[in-house]
Amino acid sequence: MGENAAATGATVALASSFMLYRLYQSILPKPIPGIAYDEAAAKSPLGDLPAMLRQNTGSTMDWIAKRARQHNDPLCQLFLQPLSQPMLVLSDFRESQDILMRRSREWDRTDWSIEIFKGVVPEHHINLKLGDQWKTQRRLLQDLMSPEFLNNVAGPNIWASTKTLLTLWAEKARIADGRAFSVVDDIYYVALDAVLAFSFGTAFPHRSLVPQLKLLQDLGDKSLEHTKNENPQDVAVFKEAPLDETLQATLHISTQVGAALQNVSVSLSYFMQGFSSSNRKLRKAREQQIYNEIAKAVARRQQQEKGREAEVRSAVDLMVDRETWLAEKEGRKPEYFSPVMRDEVMGFVVAGHDTSSTTLLWGLKLLADHPESQKKLKEALLAGHPAAAAEERLPTAHEIASTNIPYLSAVIEEVLRCGCTVPALERQCNQDTMVLGHPVPKGTMMLLLSTGPSFNEPRFEVKEELRNESCRAAGQDRQWDPEGMDQFRPERWLKEEDGEIVFDSTAGPTLPFGLGLRGCFGRRLAYLELRIIITLLFWSFDEFMKCPEHLSSYEAVDEITHKPKMCYVKLKTKQTGA
Ligand code: HEM
């Protein structure tokens, strides 16, 4: 009896240990065979997460790119979500280009990115997989990238907003008296003011830069404060005017996304954010603002139908027109105040300022740290706008948009390549497929890096037969000279043609806007914003000088975009025509 009991006990213990072992095995990451991964991570139910949390300096994307580099393979896998499929990381421009351009029916937006953006703009088309609904929502926006809208509405508003920035910075530089000052907020404000004016019309009552300028002009030298830790000998810190709640509410979206990205679970982060009364208040404020602006646009349209004179059309006016037209075509009533309309408007405002502001911040840092490139840029601008130079005035928005200045285009492209506002594109496969010769199961998510090997480090050698058929059929693509790939050199985008220096947009690998059907919708607007703001800044100030090292870090933080943690400028101010 005693022996039997002991034997039964041992069997139960063995069976329990076996069950526990099986249970433990079942919660361990399941690597996709043949694709590189971290052995230690595969032995922990939390996969790569502990290492990521330990080593992450604020930018998850930087950590992922570093990890991919350590694997020294164009394709590796990470285990970032417990109990989920691994995430692939692809570091090869040619294969990425093929997936984005030629395999977009197979590789679409990821559930992960949808979870992120659903928390802030749930009905925006960025959250849809390709299909009829995605097409319908894109149609609502179709007039917003027309040359007419860009040149007559967006351009002049970007110009006007930048003009305020020039005055503000001239004043700040005078008071700073040779010291550097942070421009992160000012750059977000200049783009925000512009996008609000061309989205809602110039009558939109709130601006973010104007109150800053007014405060500075009212207080003069007293606008300096040193409540922060920076050394007053190096840095001038200015008092800031509070922003209207509707503006705060728009800027807050980026902070919300950043918090979700830094959390182990995106949905948990949004759930927690839902308990914050200030979050709820800001969300309500932005929804109310959009509702009001749509209502005004509907009223303007009705006036126009009654034969009164049409105003210059804002983005919301054009969307209301498009919704009216779509409703007529589909035999339904227009739904001007639907959640789709609300989130498409919100998405346009957010995308219209966040991405280009981040790119500009990288641009200011890179150009200040490369005085030779800055000098050439200034010379090219002066030579490109002889009338404005002779008349000692700023080039107009129209002149800037319509003048081909190869060096300016090259600077913009190089800022996009080196700044890396969006360091990776994300895709998820909706069927079993192959990547670089490896079988990949349906539902796998993949990050396609736009930094690292191929882009600013020598590319990996990949056997041609491992590539996808469509990639092989497209043939070899251009690559950068490995010498100095990691350096900021706008000249790489220039070539000689018939004795003239011209800009070559296909000079080498770059993916700042993604590609294919899911590529950036606002690319043309982004180029226009960058063109106008960079031209006016480098036209107006003598020099953006190099800042001391401790103010020049290139560390980044991930919010909607990959933002520099700091951006200071030190200005020489003799202004030309501002
Ligand atoms: C320098 C500025 C910008 C950069 C670097 C940028 C970059 C990107 C990137 C990398 C993507 C993902 C592409 C892909 O997955 O293949 C994207 C998507 C998108 N961008 Fe931009 N963008 C910029 C400006 C803008 C602007 C000004 C707008 C509109 C006002 C805009 C609207 C969008 C939209 C709606 C999508 C999602 C498209 C979809 O999922 O169907 N972007 N952008």
Side-chain angles (χ1 to χ4, degrees):
M1 182 77 181
E3 268 178 29
N4 274 353
T8 313
T11 315
V12 169
L14 210 69
S16 310
S17 313
F18 181 70
M19 297 275 285
L20 278 174
Y21 172 74
R22 292 296 299 267
L23 185 70
Y24 183 72
Q25 288 290 317
S26 72
I27 58 170
L28 286 180
K30 306 276 170 305
I32 301 175
I35 301 179
Y37 62 90
D38 186 82
E39 301 265 348
K43 290 184 186 135
S44 155
L46 295 177
D48 285 289
L49 266 183
M52 188 182 94
L53 296 175
R54 235 183 4 255
Q55 295 158 14
N56 191 343
T57 53
S59 165
T60 305
M61 287 317 306
D62 282 348
W63 182 83
I64 291 176
K66 197 167 141 203
R67 193 67 152 194
R69 215 169 282 135
Q70 284 162 355
H71 284 302
N72 199 24
D73 200 306
L75 188 66
C76 67
Q77 55 189 321
L78 299 175
F79 314 115
L80 294 178
Q81 284 183 314
L83 303 176
S84 304
Q85 281 174 293
M87 183 182 258
L88 301 183
V89 183
L90 178 61
S91 309
D92 180 82
F93 171 70
R94 240 182 104 197
E95 205 61 26
S96 294
Q97 188 187 36
D98 183 56
I99 286 170
L100 296 168
M101 280 173 65
R102 303 178 201 100
R103 297 168 69 187
S104 55
R105 301 268 160 210
E106 189 187 333
W107 289 95
D108 202 345
R109 280 264 171 272
T110 58
D111 296 342
W112 173 68
S113 111
I114 291 174
E115 202 183 6
I116 292 168
F117 287 109
K118 275 226 168 207
V120 283
V121 279
E123 302 300 328
H124 191 273
H125 73 270
I126 201 164
N127 299 319
L128 295 170
K129 303 269 179 175
L130 285 175
D132 290 344
Q133 185 59 26
W134 178 83
K135 267 195 220 150
T136 306
Q137 288 188 214
R138 275 292 270 257
R139 255 183 238 136
L140 269 178
L141 304 170
Q142 89 183 44
D143 305 307
L144 307 187
M145 294 301 135
S146 65
E148 199 191 0
F149 177 76
L150 292 178
N151 295 332
N152 300 338
V153 185
N157 279 301
I158 298 166
W159 191 96
S161 173
T162 315
K163 180 89 165 57
T164 309
L165 182 73
L166 300 180
T167 317
L168 180 76
W169 280 10
E171 190 60 9
K172 279 192 173 178
R174 183 190 66 74
I175 299 171
D177 193 21
R179 284 167 289 182
F181 55 92
S182 171
V183 292
V184 176
D185 287 345
D186 291 347
I187 287 291
Y188 276 82
Y189 294 166
V190 72
L192 180 65
D193 285 353
V195 78
L196 290 170
F198 62 71
S199 295
F200 302 144
T202 39
F204 183 72
H206 308 297
R207 293 286 184 276
S208 46
L209 273 182
V210 174
Q212 311 307 325
L213 180 59
K214 187 163 181 320
L215 183 79
L216 206 70
Q217 286 169 338
D218 288 350
L219 295 182
D221 292 356
K222 292 200 188 98
S223 58
L224 266 186
E225 68 169 350
H226 282 289
T227 52
K228 299 186 188 162
N229 284 336
E230 286 95 341
N231 181 350
Q233 267 151 20
D234 293 337
V235 182
V237 180
F238 290 94
K239 292 200 169 82
E240 284 202 24
L243 291 190
D244 179 83
E245 193 183 51
T246 51
L247 304 182
Q248 284 178 40
T250 308
L251 289 167
H252 187 62
I253 289 189
S254 202
T255 318
Q256 280 185 277
V257 170
L261 281 171
Q262 292 303 319
N263 200 302
V264 176
S265 157
V266 172
S267 46
L268 179 67
S269 169
Y270 283 128
F271 179 72
M272 304 296 284
Q273 289 181 28
F275 287 106
S276 146
S277 58
S278 74
N279 269 334
R280 285 202 305 274
K281 198 166 144 227
L282 289 173
R283 178 173 211 129
K284 215 168 142 206
R286 29 180 209 261
E287 290 185 359
Q288 187 61 48
Q289 171 204 345
I290 304 257
Y291 180 91
N292 294 346
E293 295 308 322
I294 296 177
K296 286 186 214 159
V298 172
R300 281 196 292 268
R301 188 182 156 81
Q302 283 160 356
Q303 282 194 346
Q304 201 191 325
E305 278 166 359
K306 284 186 200 148
R308 302 210 194 133
E309 206 178 314
E311 291 180 39
V312 179
R313 332 260 36 231
S314 72
V316 176
D317 285 324
L318 295 176
M319 288 172 72
V320 162
D321 284 356
R322 189 52 65 181
E323 169 59 10
T324 314
W325 181 84
L326 285 170
E328 262 168 35
K329 209 169 132 225
E330 291 161 15
R332 59 170 174 84
K333 280 194 164 171
E335 294 176 37
Y336 300 125
F337 301 99
S338 68
V340 164
M341 195 74 170
R342 176 200 67 202
D343 287 349
E344 287 299 345
V345 173
M346 194 73 244
F348 184 74
V349 171
V350 173
H353 87 273
D354 196 277
T355 45
S356 32
S357 311
T358 297
T359 309
L360 279 163
L361 291 177
W362 288 119
L364 290 177
K365 291 171 83 70
L366 288 162
L367 283 160
D369 288 346
H370 294 86
E372 267 310 302
S373 306
Q374 197 185 140
K375 194 164 157 258
K376 283 190 194 170
L377 173 65
K378 276 186 80 77
E379 284 164 8
L381 293 175
L382 283 167
H385 296 292
E391 291 158 28
E392 296 193 7
R393 60 167 173 83
L394 296 171
T396 63
H398 180 71
E399 282 170 337
I400 298 172
S402 59
T403 308
N404 172 23
I405 301 179
Y407 201 79
L408 171 63
S409 304
V411 163
I412 292 174
E413 219 54 61
E414 189 65 349
V415 165
L416 286 162
R417 188 185 77 93
C418 298
C420 229
T421 297
V422 184
L425 307 155
E426 34 73 39
R427 291 293 185 271
Q428 183 167 21
C429 59
N430 48 31
Q431 60 187 68
D432 291 347
T433 186
M434 301 284 285
V435 179
L436 293 180
H438 299 287
V440 171
K442 177 178 171 176
T444 304
M445 293 196 265
M446 180 154 70
L447 290 177
L448 301 87
L449 296 188
S450 54
T451 179
S454 305
F455 300 96
N456 45 22
E457 292 168 31
R459 64 178 189 165
F460 290 112
E461 284 310 319
V462 176
K463 286 193 189 128
E464 197 60 14
E465 66 265 25
L466 293 181
R467 293 196 178 278
N468 194 57
E469 206 182 311
S470 49
C471 184
R472 287 197 309 254
Q476 290 288 341
D477 214 319
R478 299 195 197 181
Q479 43 176 308
W480 297 118
D481 180 350
E483 172 65 33
M485 271 177 91
D486 58 336
Q487 284 162 29
F488 179 80
R489 268 190 211 158
E491 290 73 13
R492 71 177 79 246
W493 296 97
L494 299 174
K495 66 176 182 188
E496 210 180 306
E497 212 172 72
D498 302 329
E500 261 187 65
I501 299 292
V502 294
F503 168 64
D504 177 10
S505 65
T506 58
T510 194
L511 278 176
F513 296 102
L515 283 172
L517 285 173
R518 297 312 300 245
C520 177
F521 163 77
R523 184 188 167 113
R524 273 185 272 170
L525 174 57
Y527 277 120
L528 183 69
E529 285 190 76
L530 295 172
R531 255 190 121 67
I532 294 179
I533 301 178
I534 291 180
T535 299
L536 294 182
L537 288 179
F538 288 90
W539 180 277
S540 302
F541 295 104
D542 254 15
E543 193 186 341
F544 284 71
M545 292 182 286
K546 225 171 161 31
C547 287
E549 208 161 302
H550 68 283
L551 302 179
S552 300
S553 153
Y554 278 74
E555 272 188 28
V557 58
D558 293 323
E559 292 183 350
I560 291 182
T561 49
H562 187 67
K563 280 171 68 169
K565 275 189 180 169
M566 58 169 72
C567 182
Y568 288 88
V569 301
K570 217 170 132 184
L571 286 173
K572 256 200 200 159
T573 54
K574 190 170 67 57
Q575 275 189 278
T576 324

